[in-house]
Amino acid sequence: MTRQQLVEQIKKKKSYLCVGLDTDITKIPAHLQSHPDAIFEFNKAIIDATKDLCVSYKINTAFYEAHGLKGWEAMQKTVEYIPEEIFTIADAKRGDIGNTSTQYAKAFFEALPFDSITVAPYMGEDSVAPFLEYKGKWAIVLGLTSNKGASDFELQKTGDAYLYEKVLSTVSKWGSPDNLMFVIGATQADEFTNIRKITPDHFYLVPGVGAQGGSLKDISEKAMNKDCGLLVNASRAVIYASGKEDFAEAARKVAQEYQQEMAGYLERLNN
Amino acid sequence: MTRQQLVEQIKKKKSYLCVGLDTDITKIPAHLQSHPDAIFEFNKAIIDATKDLCVSYKINTAFYEAHGLKGWEAMQKTVEYIPEEIFTIADAKRGDIGNTSTQYAKAFFEALPFDSITVAPYMGEDSVAPFLEYKGKWAIVLGLTSNKGASDFELQKTGDAYLYEKVLSTVSKWGSPDNLMFVIGATQADEFTNIRKITPDHFYLVPGVGAQGGSLKDISEKAMNKDCGLLVNASRAVIYASGKEDFAEAARKVAQEYQQEMAGYLERLNN
């Protein structure tokens, strides 16, 4: 998917919501747990209930790999089920030496039809470059993450800058705002103004709203750019909104609340 | 597998060779390519031909994921085929926020029977900790890698130390030499003496010998500790030693050359 297509979706739906399909079989409603294809059935219902409210789905590969072959199959069925106009993210945090990253790019961009993949920057340019060679596909590189461990290395100083700032300024030279995004955690709102100075034009994938405590208002006020420039992810807050048979309706309700709040911030952007 | 079991294997086989199963279907012999289970058949022959010469097999997950479901199945069959006394490494470079790393640990330590997994350190402690909670399992955290991109971040200064040195000194506090190893590229021989000062007791997984140009002699002289402390990986140099029907014998011959050279360095250690 091109940047232009993504921006058009955001304008059309008045939403920059990404729904995270971190589907944990122990947390899905009891009536589905015995279904032979429980994870996919759950995802399908969530997608059907939210697809007009979000512009992206993020599939966290760990939750699928935890079920081995069957999990990988559920992941494949899920990404294939997502409507084509919705931006798909393999939240896979991959990255290795060049010839290995090339194989990961094949895995997620050819064997599976994802639009994008999250990538860890530690190993440097040749670990990211292979993901940038596909037209219409995106690498979403870790910048400043939402978790406590962000302080261990990302927030260590390298010269005058934090490591994550060095990552943003360096990695942004390897691609363009048309094929590169960054992961910036919603819990890091204090840093957002500074982050926008380093990467004014890029989209950010922003996890950490909802269960992890980040504020949609803070992020939107501090980090929107002229094309919106944000995909704000909510996973657990949406997909586990109810643990009962009404889980899909409950997910829709929470997604709708996010979408309506987002519509307000987008409107201010246009005025 | 415990550290003691691994050290015993090294002494018994007079080897610290790890054979990397980075199996690329386009590089395996022509007579196997049309086999319905080509990747596993190739791996099986390589394992049969080398299992008395090496103490570890490293499965690079990217090469399997590139084939989707069928690839994941080949990975599972391969790791299950490896004899129990041989240390298995999922070279997967995973790492994410705590609740997600917990799922990756399930994937590789429960759904699949790996002894260890390689982990990227960028996201900090909660991204590594879940892998350290399994008795007899190991996290192998990226320290200083063998690729050109290592200079982008790993070799940037954070205060007085390089980032990779900060990673070694910080991460080594999260576990012990009994459940934590580090990846140190063989192409980084100049740094090995210094690295041993920071982490004297840990095992290192050392890729980069062979195709990437690192020297087994340099590494062994500079980085062995009293328990050996090294698993030196060769992938392409072993598994693609011949592209013809004699590929397994050819792989054995190269593995044997490594093993014999290693036996010499181990003998010096004991004298």
Side-chain angles (χ1 to χ4, degrees):
Chain A
M1 182 179 294
T2 66
R3 181 178 173 119
Q4 195 189 341
Q5 287 168 325
L6 176 61
V7 173
E8 276 166 15
Q9 277 296 307
I10 291 171
K11 286 183 184 165
K12 187 177 151 196
K13 289 179 171 172
K14 296 185 176 41
S15 170
Y16 42 99
L17 179 63
C18 172
V19 172
L21 299 168
D22 302 7
T23 308
D24 181 342
I25 197 143
T26 64
K27 289 185 184 161
I28 71 177
H31 75 283
L32 274 181
Q33 290 195 6
S34 57
H35 193 289
D37 211 0
I39 293 178
F40 175 63
E41 285 302 312
F42 177 82
N43 288 348
K44 190 166 166 285
I46 295 282
I47 293 166
D48 288 342
T50 58
K51 64 187 176 189
D52 58 321
L53 301 168
C54 66
V55 294
S56 178
Y57 288 104
K58 178 172 81 64
I59 292 185
N60 185 327
T61 55
F63 287 80
Y64 299 83
E65 293 176 19
H67 299 283
L69 257 184
K70 223 179 136 47
W72 199 269
E73 193 177 0
M75 175 162 69
Q76 180 169 340
K77 287 171 80 170
T78 301
V79 64
E80 287 171 353
Y81 187 74
I82 295 170
E84 206 178 342
E85 71 275 14
I86 300 189
F87 187 75
T88 50
I89 301 169
D91 192 6
K93 310 285 200 300
R94 300 299 200 264
D96 205 316
I97 63 170
N99 87 316
T100 298
S101 276
T102 298
Q103 298 293 327
Y104 282 127
K106 277 187 194 165
F108 291 95
F109 294 162
E110 295 184 35
L112 294 169
F114 282 100
D115 292 308
S116 68
I117 180 171
T118 57
V119 178
Y122 188 74
M123 293 180 67
E125 183 168 4
D126 59 288
S127 70
V128 177
F131 300 106
L132 299 172
E133 285 168 12
Y134 285 75
K135 211 179 155 180
K137 305 283 184 180
W138 298 70
I140 308 180
V141 177
L142 299 180
L144 180 59
T145 58
S146 58
N147 62 323
K148 191 163 165 285
S151 62
D152 290 320
F153 305 117
E154 299 168 20
L155 287 167
Q156 294 294 314
K157 286 274 185 177
T158 56
D160 293 335
Y162 288 124
L163 173 61
Y164 89 82
E165 295 176 302
K166 172 95 187 160
V167 165
L168 295 178
S169 59
T170 305
V171 175
S172 60
K173 291 178 195 131
W174 301 341
S176 79
D178 292 331
N179 66 359
L180 197 59
M181 301 187 184
F182 292 100
V183 175
I184 310 287
T187 53
Q188 307 287 2
D190 292 347
E191 298 287 329
F192 265 104
T193 312
N194 174 46
I195 290 167
R196 263 297 171 224
K197 284 184 195 152
I198 307 172
T199 46
D201 299 323
H202 289 80
F203 262 83
Y204 303 149
L205 169 62
V206 184
V209 157
Q212 293 182 63
S215 152
L216 175 59
K217 182 168 183 285
D218 269 9
I219 302 154
S220 304
E221 288 177 352
K222 289 182 178 168
M224 248 185 206
N225 66 18
K226 65 176 179 18
D227 279 343
C228 176
L230 295 174
L231 293 174
V232 174
N233 182 77
S235 298
R236 291 170 267 182
V238 173
I239 68 175
Y240 306 134
S242 160
K244 296 180 186 158
E245 292 197 18
D246 66 344
F247 72 98
E249 291 157 60
R252 178 174 178 80
K253 210 176 145 216
V254 176
Q256 201 151 37
E257 285 164 13
Y258 280 123
Q259 184 272 322
Q260 283 167 1
E261 192 180 340
M262 287 175 175
Y265 303 129
L266 284 169
E267 193 161 3
R268 280 194 237 166
L269 185 71
N270 294 327
N271 293 334
Chain B
M1 182 177 297
T2 66
R3 182 180 172 117
Q4 195 190 340
Q5 288 169 323
L6 176 60
V7 173
E8 276 166 15
Q9 278 295 305
I10 291 171
K11 286 183 185 164
K12 187 176 150 196
K13 290 180 170 170
K14 298 185 175 43
S15 169
Y16 42 100
L17 179 63
C18 173
V19 172
L21 299 168
D22 301 10
T23 308
D24 181 342
I25 196 144
T26 65
K27 289 185 185 161
I28 72 176
H31 75 283
L32 274 181
Q33 290 196 3
S34 57
H35 192 289
D37 211 359
I39 293 177
F40 175 64
E41 285 301 313
F42 177 83
N43 289 348
K44 191 165 164 288
I46 295 281
I47 293 166
D48 289 342
T50 58
K51 64 187 174 189
D52 58 321
L53 301 169
C54 66
V55 295
S56 178
Y57 288 104
K58 179 171 82 62
I59 293 184
N60 184 327
T61 56
F63 286 81
Y64 300 83
E65 294 176 19
H67 298 284
L69 256 185
K70 221 179 139 45
W72 199 270
E73 194 178 357
M75 176 161 67
Q76 181 170 338
K77 287 171 80 170
T78 301
V79 65
E80 287 170 354
Y81 186 74
I82 295 170
E84 207 178 339
E85 72 275 12
I86 300 189
F87 187 76
T88 50
I89 302 169
D91 192 7
K93 310 285 199 302
R94 300 300 201 263
D96 206 316
I97 65 171
N99 86 317
T100 297
S101 276
T102 297
Q103 298 293 327
Y104 281 128
K106 276 187 196 166
F108 291 96
F109 294 162
E110 296 183 36
L112 294 169
F114 282 100
D115 292 308
S116 67
I117 180 173
T118 57
V119 178
Y122 189 74
M123 292 179 70
E125 185 168 6
D126 59 288
S127 70
V128 176
F131 300 106
L132 299 172
E133 286 169 12
Y134 286 75
K135 210 178 155 181
K137 305 280 185 181
W138 299 70
I140 308 180
V141 177
L142 299 180
L144 181 57
T145 57
S146 58
N147 62 325
K148 191 164 166 284
S151 62
D152 291 321
F153 305 117
E154 298 168 23
L155 286 168
Q156 294 294 313
K157 286 273 185 177
T158 55
D160 292 336
Y162 288 124
L163 173 61
Y164 89 82
E165 296 176 300
K166 173 98 188 156
V167 166
L168 294 178
S169 59
T170 305
V171 175
S172 59
K173 291 178 196 130
W174 301 340
S176 79
D178 292 330
N179 65 359
L180 196 60
M181 300 188 187
F182 292 101
V183 175
I184 310 288
T187 53
Q188 308 285 3
D190 292 348
E191 298 288 329
F192 265 104
T193 311
N194 174 46
I195 290 167
R196 262 298 169 222
K197 284 187 195 149
I198 306 172
T199 47
D201 299 323
H202 289 79
F203 263 82
Y204 303 148
L205 170 62
V206 185
V209 158
Q212 291 182 66
S215 151
L216 176 58
K217 182 168 183 285
D218 269 9
I219 302 154
S220 303
E221 289 178 350
K222 290 182 179 168
M224 249 186 207
N225 65 18
K226 67 176 176 20
D227 279 343
C228 176
L230 296 174
L231 293 174
V232 174
N233 181 77
S235 298
R236 289 170 269 182
V238 173
I239 68 176
Y240 305 134
S242 159
K244 297 183 184 154
E245 293 197 17
D246 67 345
F247 72 98
E249 290 157 62
R252 178 174 178 80
K253 208 176 147 216
V254 175
Q256 202 152 33
E257 286 164 11
Y258 280 122
Q259 184 273 321
Q260 284 167 359
E261 192 180 342
M262 288 175 174
Y265 302 129
L266 283 169
E267 194 161 1
R268 278 193 239 168
L269 186 70
N270 294 327
N271 293 335

